[in-house]
Amino acid sequence: MRQFIVLGHDAPTTADFSLDDLSGAGRLDILCRCVGAAVFLSHGIRENVRIHLVVGDEYTIRFDSGTLRRLYPDERTIAARIRDALDQREDAIGHMPAEVSPGMELYRLGFEATLDDVASEGTVVQLHAEGTPLPEASLPSDPVFVLSDHNDFTEREDELLAEQADQRLRVGPETLHADQTITVAHNWLDTAGYTEY
């Protein structure tokens, strides 16, 4: 299983946003692109991938590629599904999710609780511009990649990751967008650390 936790610091926590201005909705466009990069292949969906979007440190929206249905790779469609999830936020009670649709759930959990839940399922890897280069790192088993949106990790988030993360890695010499970082991480794993094609 590959998992990604993406922190959406400014993302909306209610369904009150326009699909016509995703960048103006707390850079929701970034989170939508991250979902697309995490779960989609050309003409298909990856197997064994989960992506957790932590919005406003209040809610976590989880997409599970194994059971995901009726999701398409364009930003607007993904944003509409996120809006559907946030519209059901009253049904989420702590660790009991609101079932949005097949393969998609909304939890009333912030970053710390989400990280605690997911950390036990694999190797936590913080993706950060100041980490060890991927080619110098060993491949993690069942990786849980944690990355931020267009904002840096907060001091508290860094503290939590210092406690939980097994590795801190960077995907290349240049700073990439979050969705591009997910694509590079997938490729690193797909090619067994850039050794098999």
Side-chain angles (χ1 to χ4, degrees), residues 54-75:
V54 180
V55 296
D57 203 24
E58 291 183 53
Y59 299 99
T60 296
I61 304 164
R62 183 174 82 182
F63 296 80
D64 188 326
S65 71
T67 54
L68 198 56
R69 300 291 179 269
R70 298 184 305 277
L71 187 70
Y72 304 99
D74 63 285
E75 289 177 29

Side-chain angles (χ1 to χ4, degrees), residues 162-183:
E163 296 169 10
Q164 298 266 19
D166 298 288
Q167 295 175 298
R168 188 182 205 205
L169 304 178
R170 74 171 185 241
V171 299
E174 302 292 339
T175 302
L176 302 177
H177 291 175
D179 60 306
Q180 295 169 329
T181 300
I182 290 172
T183 299

Side-chain angles (χ1 to χ4, degrees), residues 17-95:
F17 62 86
S18 171
L19 296 178
D20 295 324
D21 184 18
L22 297 180
S23 62
R27 294 310 311 264
L28 192 59
D29 57 321
I30 294 172
L31 300 185
C32 294
R33 287 195 298 271
C34 286
V35 171
V39 302
F40 289 110
L41 293 166
S42 180
H43 306 291
I45 293 179
R46 284 185 175 273
E47 295 180 10
N48 300 317
V49 173
R50 285 190 194 127
I51 180 167
H52 311 261
L53 303 180
V54 180
V55 296
D57 203 24
E58 291 183 53
Y59 299 99
T60 296
I61 304 164
R62 183 174 82 182
F63 296 80
D64 188 326
S65 71
T67 54
L68 198 56
R69 300 291 179 269
R70 298 184 305 277
L71 187 70
Y72 304 99
D74 63 285
E75 289 177 29
R76 188 181 177 91
T77 299
I78 295 169
R81 298 296 292 283
I82 290 171
R83 188 169 65 180
D84 291 344
L86 291 171
D87 198 39
Q88 297 181 40
R89 67 190 183 283
E90 298 304 320
D91 297 334
I93 304 169
H95 287 75

